[in-house]
Structure formats: C-alpha cells, structure tokens
Amino acid sequence: TQLMAAELEKSKTDDKMTFIQASEKYIDMKRNVLSPRTIKEYSNMCPRLSEWFIKMDITDIDQISINRQINELACNKSPKTVSCLHGFITAVLGVFRPDLKISTRLPQKAKNEPYIPSDNDVKKILKHIKGSQFEIPIILACYGMRRSEICALTIEDIDAIAVTYGPGLVGALLV
C-alpha cells in the first residue's frame, strides 16, 4: 500500500497526463497485487479505445467524453466488452481523478434465445444417427438425461436401459 501511495503522490505532481499514460501508471501501481492474466488484459485495454480518448489529458475527461467513448464502442463491440472497457476507464480515472463522478448508461446485454429443435428436426436427427455410435447418447438426451449423466453411464447401465425400455425405444421416437 505504501508503494501505491507513493506512486499516487508522484502522479499528482505530473502537470499533464494523457489517459494512456494514466492507464500505464495504473497498471504499474497494481502490478504486484493483480494476477498476470489481469495485467495482460489491462494492457490490452487502451488499444481497444478510441485514439482521441486515450490521447486526452485526464483533467479534460468528463462525463460527456466518457459517454461519447462508450457510444462509439457500443457500435461495434459486444455489451460485455463495452462494460469491461468502461470498468477499466472508471478504475483508472478513480485513481487519478477521484473527484470525477461517473454515471454512464451501458448497453443492455443481449438475451440469448436458445434454439429448440422441432419434432421433425429431432426425427431427422434420429434417422440420420441410426446404428451409429451417437444413437444411444442422443436417444437418452431426448428422454431428458443430462450430458454429464450420459457420460457417466457404463455398459451395464446401458444394458439395464435396453432391458427396461426394450428394443422399441428408437421406434417410439421415430413415430
């Protein structure tokens, strides 16, 4: 903590500092407390930001410039990426501009709608896999077994399933 405090005091004496310079100092301040993976991720953040933003003097950065940067990022980056970049910006500015109040609206995360195959799709798949090594696992999945449960099955379990459900198991699904 003393090292971080010394670095912060040193940074206060700098008259002019761009965002990229501040981010490099921020990373150096955190180098001993962050994982190497996080340091690498932080080091890759500035190149993903707009050139005009990283060259701005940190004393000139305000809520409007942050909003402008986030809006530009939202045009071609995923909501998660924009959120990560915003988090980095606010972390850097939190150290070098603690007086700046940041309140940014971030893009909403897209809801992922899973594809649910139709009955006809399932029947086509079952016809296509008939007699292959995938037939039993896929049939078991159709009956509601989870992947982990199917993977944990032994030959004895499969024999017991065949005895329980009989040879008509595949035929019942194809009808």
Side-chain angles (χ1 to χ4, degrees), residues 19-20 23-24 27 39-54 69 73 77 85 88:
F19 181 83
I20 194 165
S23 69
E24 289 166 357
I27 292 168
I39 301 263
K40 183 180 178 191
E41 288 294 320
Y42 280 1
S43 298
N44 291 329
M45 293 284 188
C46 275
R48 298 164 83 184
L49 298 171
S50 300
E51 191 171 335
W52 65 266
F53 187 81
I54 62 174
Q69 176 62 78
L73 293 170
K77 302 215 180 314
L85 291 167
F88 179 70

Side-chain angles (χ1 to χ4, degrees), residues 79-163:
K80 182 177 180 182
T81 300
V82 173
S83 178
C84 289
L85 291 167
H86 181 266
F88 179 70
I89 291 169
T90 57
V92 171
L93 293 175
V95 170
F96 296 101
R97 290 280 313 278
D99 57 313
L100 179 63
K101 183 179 180 225
I102 300 172
S103 175
T104 312
R105 180 156 176 101
L106 298 175
Q108 296 296 310
K109 292 179 183 169
K111 291 186 180 178
N112 224 354
E113 290 293 327
Y115 169 71
I116 300 172
S118 68
D119 288 344
N120 286 336
D121 291 339
V122 173
K123 288 177 184 178
K124 287 177 187 176
I125 291 169
L126 291 173
K127 282 182 184 177
H128 185 70
I129 61 159
K130 186 164 179 67
S132 75
Q133 65 185 10
F134 304 109
E135 182 177 18
I136 292 173
I138 291 178
I139 289 171
L140 294 174
C142 288
Y143 274 98
M145 287 186 75
R146 293 183 220 113
R147 180 174 42 175
S148 60
E149 295 170 331
I150 295 168
C151 291
L153 290 175
T154 64
I155 294 296
E156 292 80 24
D157 296 326
I158 293 173
D159 289 341
I161 291 169
V163 168

